[in-house]
Amino acid sequence: MPKDVPWHGKTVHTGVYKQTVAGPRMVRRLNIDGDGQGDLGGHGGEQRAVLVYQLDSYRFWEKELGRDNLAPGAFGENFTVEGLPDGEVCIGDRYRIGGALFEVTQPRVTCYRVGLRMGEPQMAALLVAHHRPGFYLRVIEEGEVEAGQDIVKVSTGPEAMTVEEIDGVLYLPGHTREQVEKALRIPALSPGWQGSMRTLLDQDDKQGTAGSSGSAGLNAAASAPPPAWPGFRPLTVTDIQPESRSVFSLYLAAADGADLPAALPGQFITVKVQPEGEAPPLIRSYSLSGEPGTGTYRISVKVEPHGAASNQLKAHLRVGDGLEAAAPRGTFCLTDGDNPVVLLSAGVGATPVLAMLHALARDRSTRQVWWLHGARDGTEHPFAQESRDLIEGLPHARSTVCYSSPTADDRPGVDYAAAGRLSPDLVRGLGVPTDADAYLCGPAAFMDGVTAALVDYGLDAAHVHTEIFGSGAAVTPGIKGGAAAPAPHQPSGPAGSGPQVTFARSGINVPWNDTQESLLELAEACDVPVQWSCRTGVCHTCELALMSGAVDYSPDPVEPPGDGNILICCSKPAGEVVLDL
């Protein structure tokens, strides 16, 4: 059963520490009696009820690792079996053991806990690199199982795709389109892996050929197009325009007058804002709010009362000044299709979805378009006339604008449609089409509530896309929660003497300290929200954009990240770096 284990100054709640048992055990749909998983987000459930690992792999690892003390259960499995190699067992195969019937659903998903159990931090990567992941079973018929019983194959899965093959499709380079299509024809393949395969297929369609990388199926960051230029380049401010009481727009062009590379509608750029004196530059990201493909960029900035960068830009930047910027980035982008589009925003969250509205209007789209926006009042409603003009140019567009505190000058039915917030209940009652793609940007509570309302109403959760301006939510599987994490800060202890590391979304600069083993460890020391799972270059959960600079890897990733991205779990800065974190 799960227990608490100390690890790197944290507490991991995990069921990876298995022990042998005597006599029969009842295998049920979700678990085996007497067994449990500590992290039900990554393990367990109907598709991952029973984990299988082979004695032959034990023999391999004893030789490979120079170990002679590997007892059954050392790899966190439920069934230690003779036979059933990953290179022969196929997804969808069915086996009867004792009174229970099982179906193979997916390979083991590698995470750091098998390394924790083994005392070998790189174990997750080694399992994939050596094609020995093991696999999960779904329980078709519940029943008792006992050590020593025969494993009887009942049927072979359609397509006869082995565990080893499909594991390589997702985690290793060099998959083919035919492999991905074959995987998607296997009904027994778990929904999570089906989703990853569909993402790979979509990525192959965008590339026009079979993709050489599987990492797009692991992390959306890998599916983003490569940046149009490395690092930062100087742009020139050509115009500055107020958009509301607290929002203004900057128009940017190439210093040499050439067209800037086209961005995708919904992407952002990252800029360096130089404060007065000798202080290091402030690095901030702003969504592109103008029409894509015009050869210039527009960003729109909200001036916060204590916002160092926004106030510096407002007070000191003038037309003709230069501003260093990194290339457009981001995966929050309008997708092609003919299904309805719902654009929802609150406050300055309108910026990325306004770029999407511009793109739809430019293309004279015949799609149904729903523009839903919430503002405090008319003075705090950026792009009010601009968005109305764009909507009027679309044949199947409709708009609902809510003012939470309209003033006497705000005209109901003209400036806004409803008094009050753009709430989940209001969105649920508008009757948006359930086959729509929805794009949301605004405060976290707004997006959480509206996302839940849309999914509850009937939209596919995979078609509800969100964009946040600050750091994303942390993903730290199995780590027991304690007190709420503080805001990002400088690490404790003596300051490092290495190159500067900038966490752009968190707004802090930190000198690299060689006491850290990776950029992930540095981020954790600063309480920067991070996402990770394997911590050894396999799962790509930690993949993110490298805005500028370069890194060195140790160990090398099993598969490289997408162009312009890095894996922070196994990398160190090779010089000054700016991370989209």
Side-chain angles (χ1 to χ4, degrees), residues 297-352:
Y297 297 155
R298 181 180 75 175
I299 59 174
S300 301
V301 180
K302 182 178 181 181
V303 181
E304 303 285 358
H306 303 289
S310 61
N311 279 283
Q312 179 72 23
L313 289 170
K314 179 69 172 177
H316 299 288
L317 200 66
R318 298 291 180 264
V319 172
D321 288 349
L323 188 65
E324 287 193 73
R329 301 267 194 164
T331 58
F332 181 73
C333 301
L334 181 68
T335 57
D336 295 332
D338 55 11
N339 63 316
V341 177
V342 182
L343 307 175
L344 301 102
S345 58
V348 75
T351 51

Side-chain angles (χ1 to χ4, degrees), residues 172-175 204 207 210-214 559:
L172 297 173
H175 74 268
D204 290 348
Q207 293 176 344
S212 60
S213 169
E559 179 178 21

Side-chain angles (χ1 to χ4, degrees), residues 225-226 228-229 260-269 286-298 326-330 332-334 355-356 359 362:
W229 65 81
L260 290 171
L264 297 176
Q267 288 190 308
F268 63 87
I269 62 171
Y286 298 104
S287 295
L288 294 164
S289 59
E291 180 183 339
T294 62
T296 61
Y297 297 155
R298 181 180 75 175
R329 301 267 194 164
F332 181 73
C333 301
L334 181 68
M356 297 179 187
R362 176 201 62 197

Side-chain angles (χ1 to χ4, degrees), residues 505-552:
R505 288 181 181 263
S506 300
I508 62 170
N509 303 306
V510 184
W512 172 253
N513 193 322
D514 284 328
T515 61
Q516 265 92 35
E517 291 296 322
S518 66
L519 284 163
L520 171 58
E521 286 193 8
L522 177 62
E524 290 175 324
C526 300
D527 282 309
V528 170
V530 287
Q531 300 185 348
W532 53 265
S533 180
C534 74
R535 300 182 75 95
T536 186
V538 181
C539 70
H540 288 249
T541 301
C542 73
E543 183 169 345
L544 51 82
L546 176 66
M547 316 305 294
S548 69
V551 301
D552 295 323

Side-chain angles (χ1 to χ4, degrees), residues 433-455:
T434 56
D435 61 339
D437 269 295
Y439 301 86
L440 288 70
C441 189
F446 163 79
M447 291 194 293
D448 290 345
V450 172
T451 296
L454 289 171
V455 173

Side-chain angles (χ1 to χ4, degrees), residues 2-277:
K3 64 179 182 179
D4 291 346
V5 180
W7 175 78
H8 288 196
K10 303 178 178 67
T11 300
V12 180
H13 188 62
T14 177
V16 75
Y17 289 83
K18 307 296 186 191
Q19 58 188 7
T20 57
V21 295
R25 285 293 184 273
M26 187 68 182
V27 179
R28 304 188 189 277
R29 187 174 67 87
L30 297 179
N31 219 325
I32 302 171
D33 284 359
D35 184 74
Q37 297 88 15
D39 170 26
L40 292 175
H43 303 280
E46 181 180 0
Q47 303 294 326
R48 298 172 297 204
V50 178
L51 178 59
V52 176
Y53 209 56
Q54 307 92 347
L55 280 173
D56 181 62
S57 286
Y58 271 80
R59 300 177 187 118
F60 173 84
W61 292 117
E62 285 175 345
K63 181 179 179 180
E64 183 76 14
L65 301 175
R67 306 270 287 268
D68 59 4
N69 60 344
L70 298 180
F75 291 84
E77 76 276 13
N78 303 112
F79 291 168
T80 312
V81 301
E82 184 72 67
L84 302 187
D86 293 334
E88 295 180 12
V89 170
C90 298
I91 304 299
D93 282 0
R94 290 193 173 190
Y95 297 93
R96 184 170 291 280
I97 310 173
L101 180 64
F102 302 91
E103 182 176 65
V104 180
T105 58
Q106 65 172 71
R108 173 207 300 263
V109 175
T110 54
C111 79
Y112 74 104
R113 279 159 289 202
V114 66
L116 169 66
R117 171 68 179 85
M118 295 283 294
E120 174 49 70
Q122 294 187 34
M123 202 66 224
L126 293 172
L127 290 172
V128 173
H130 288 276
H131 311 289
R132 294 177 179 269
F135 55 88
Y136 280 107
L137 298 173
R138 182 166 70 100
V139 179
I140 304 298
E141 295 176 8
E142 297 182 347
E144 287 192 336
V145 171
E146 186 172 359
Q149 290 177 326
D150 288 337
I151 303 169
V152 180
K153 187 173 183 179
V154 174
S155 61
T156 298
E159 305 297 332
M161 190 171 201
T162 67
V163 170
E164 178 183 325
E165 181 183 3
I166 197 169
D167 198 59
V169 169
L170 186 59
Y171 287 109
L172 297 173
H175 74 268
T176 66
R177 184 183 182 90
E178 289 72 25
Q179 285 178 305
V180 178
E181 291 175 337
K182 181 167 70 169
L184 286 168
R185 291 195 294 267
I186 306 174
L189 184 63
S190 68
W193 278 66
Q194 288 183 20
S196 294
M197 294 297 126
R198 282 193 294 270
T199 301
L200 286 180
L201 198 61
D202 291 344
Q203 186 71 358
D204 290 348
D205 288 340
K206 292 177 184 177
Q207 293 176 344
T209 59
S212 60
S213 169
S215 58
L218 296 167
N219 189 317
S223 65
W229 65 81
F232 288 82
R233 62 178 285 188
L235 302 181
T236 300
V237 178
T238 60
D239 196 9
I240 302 174
Q241 290 293 331
E243 305 291 357
S244 72
R245 185 165 56 191
S246 60
V247 176
F248 67 96
S249 288
L250 298 175
Y251 292 77
L252 305 170
D256 61 3
D259 283 350
L260 290 171
L264 297 176
Q267 288 190 308
F268 63 87
I269 62 171
T270 301
V271 300
K272 287 184 178 181
V273 182
Q274 183 60 56
E276 295 179 302

